[in-house]
Amino acid sequence: MDDVIAVDDGISADRALRLINRGSALLWTGDFQNARQLLAALGRRVPAIRTGSFPNQRRRQAERVRVLNALLIPLADHHVPLRRAPDVRAACDQAYGPSGGERTVPLRELLGVIGAHQLRLRGVHVPALGERIHPHYGVFAPTRSEYADLVAEQPLPAAGTAFDVGTGTGVLTAILARRGVRQLVATDNNPRAVACARSNLARLQVTATVLETDLFPPGTADLIVCNPPWIPAKPLTPLDQAVYDEDSRMLRDFLGKSREHLRPGGEVWLVMSDLAEHLGLRQPDEIPILARTAGLTLSGRRHVTPHHTRARAQETTSLWRLT
């Protein structure tokens, strides 16, 4: 944004949108709850679209993010100095680290921080685990629990050792532990995810090593499990990185390096939504081709229909067994 303009309860959504489209950011100085109403009104004027070609959808989504992120809220030591503002100090401490000084953040982001804090407190019930998993801010929450169901129900190979690559909250590591896998190593390159997985596994009394590293830990395993981002497109925000994998870089690297970490007779379980195929972003045979190129053989595929609220018609989630 070229400049920041202070605005309050007197501004209309139409005028706010005109100022944003001229390149201005809006620093809110009025009532906090009125700022939420303005944000909702801006969202109605720049709606998200879920039809048409994927490039058009992403362009519209990027425009929506630009507009909504232009409404800024002041923070002073993680306190919002506005009328009727909630106490966000605990939520901001978890998302941003120790408080200090003054700053501004997009209201849209702050609401996400508050929502993530509430979700972390109450947790997400995972039926396959029979427990609650508590996601941290910036870590993919296991609300799409069908991928956990697949890992819980797939017959295990003779797995004394398993790697959970890209562990996130640690939910798949916990499921494998409950299924009797004795040695478990979970990895993630996101320090928030590493802290989250360690916290969840400690609370569930699961013995596992959690490492901050890119993809694989040293050594080999009988079973390697991975639930990578499933849409091969560029993320628009840091939170998109759990879903979007530009040019399938993680998927290609994971498959390309799996064989050297897999023990003889072991299996790779790749768990993915086929949403990218429905969007025309991936060919139906892309994963088998990538696996063959990596020296892996497809030995089975099991799929389920997602039951989360944002699932699309005919979308499935699959567990690919590779040897």
Side-chain angles (χ1 to χ4, degrees):
M1 299 290 177
D2 293 331
D3 63 318
V4 179
I5 299 175
V7 297
D8 58 21
D9 310 281
I11 193 170
S12 69
D14 289 333
R15 173 163 172 73
L17 184 58
R18 288 196 296 271
L19 290 173
I20 293 169
N21 285 334
R22 292 173 187 169
S24 298
L26 309 181
L27 176 61
W28 188 259
T29 62
D31 180 272
F32 182 86
Q33 301 304 325
N34 287 344
R36 295 188 62 167
Q37 293 181 16
L38 176 59
L39 185 70
L42 289 171
R44 290 190 294 270
R45 285 159 174 77
V46 190
I49 58 171
R50 303 188 184 280
T51 59
S53 69
F54 183 77
N56 285 338
Q57 291 183 45
R58 292 295 280 172
R59 281 194 290 271
R60 190 61 177 268
Q61 185 181 358
E63 172 65 10
R64 178 180 172 84
V65 169
R66 181 190 69 83
V67 170
L68 298 184
N69 281 352
L71 181 58
L72 306 178
I73 294 292
L75 281 179
D77 290 328
H78 291 176
H79 168 73
V80 179
L82 300 174
R83 296 189 306 277
R84 292 201 296 165
D87 185 350
V88 300
R89 287 172 293 182
C92 288
D93 285 346
Q94 290 178 351
Y96 302 133
S99 61
E102 298 182 355
R103 60 184 297 191
T104 60
V105 297
L107 173 58
R108 177 173 177 267
E109 177 182 313
L110 182 61
L111 294 178
V113 167
I114 295 170
H117 176 62
Q118 294 170 344
L119 186 62
R120 177 172 175 174
L121 290 177
R122 69 174 182 267
V124 177
H125 179 69
V126 179
L129 189 59
E131 299 278 2
R132 287 188 175 273
I133 290 291
H134 296 263
H136 292 193
Y137 177 75
V139 181
F140 183 72
T143 51
R144 302 169 181 254
S145 61
E146 65 277 355
Y147 74 95
D149 296 337
L150 285 168
V151 171
E153 297 167 2
Q154 179 64 36
L156 279 171
T161 301
F163 294 163
D164 176 14
V165 176
T167 189
T169 60
V171 60
L172 297 186
T173 297
I175 289 173
L176 292 174
R178 292 291 170 87
R179 297 195 63 189
V181 180
R182 296 185 303 277
Q183 292 182 285
L184 290 154
V185 182
T187 70
D188 209 294
N189 62 5
N190 179 355
R192 291 182 184 271
V194 171
C196 180
R198 285 175 177 164
S199 175
N200 279 310
L201 295 174
R203 185 181 53 81
L204 296 172
Q205 297 183 322
V206 170
T207 300
T209 300
V210 184
L211 300 177
E212 182 181 341
T213 188
D214 191 18
L215 295 178
F216 293 94
T220 58
D222 303 297
L223 175 63
I224 302 174
V225 177
C226 184
N227 173 222
W230 57 89
I231 300 181
K234 184 177 181 179
L236 296 177
T237 69
L239 297 182
D240 284 348
Q241 293 175 1
V243 178
Y244 292 89
D245 176 22
E246 189 172 8
D247 298 324
S248 298
R249 291 171 186 168
M250 179 184 176
L251 176 63
R252 293 174 185 274
D253 285 348
F254 170 76
L255 291 175
K257 297 174 181 177
S258 288
R259 183 174 176 176
E260 62 190 83
H261 292 279
L262 190 64
R263 293 177 182 171
E267 294 186 5
V268 174
W269 290 0
L270 179 68
V271 189
M272 292 188 68
S273 166
D274 66 358
L275 178 58
E277 296 176 16
H278 288 283
L279 295 174
L281 300 175
R282 178 176 286 124
Q283 295 301 314
D285 59 352
E286 182 175 342
I287 290 177
I289 290 173
L290 290 174
R292 285 198 301 270
T293 302
L296 299 170
T297 300
L298 175 62
S299 59
R301 178 184 182 184
R302 182 176 180 178
H303 58 82
V304 297
T305 301
H307 43 74
H308 57 83
T309 57
R310 299 184 67 182
R312 301 198 178 204
Q314 299 182 328
E315 179 185 347
T316 62
T317 299
S318 297
L319 186 152
W320 303 78
R321 289 179 54 233
L322 307 169
T323 57

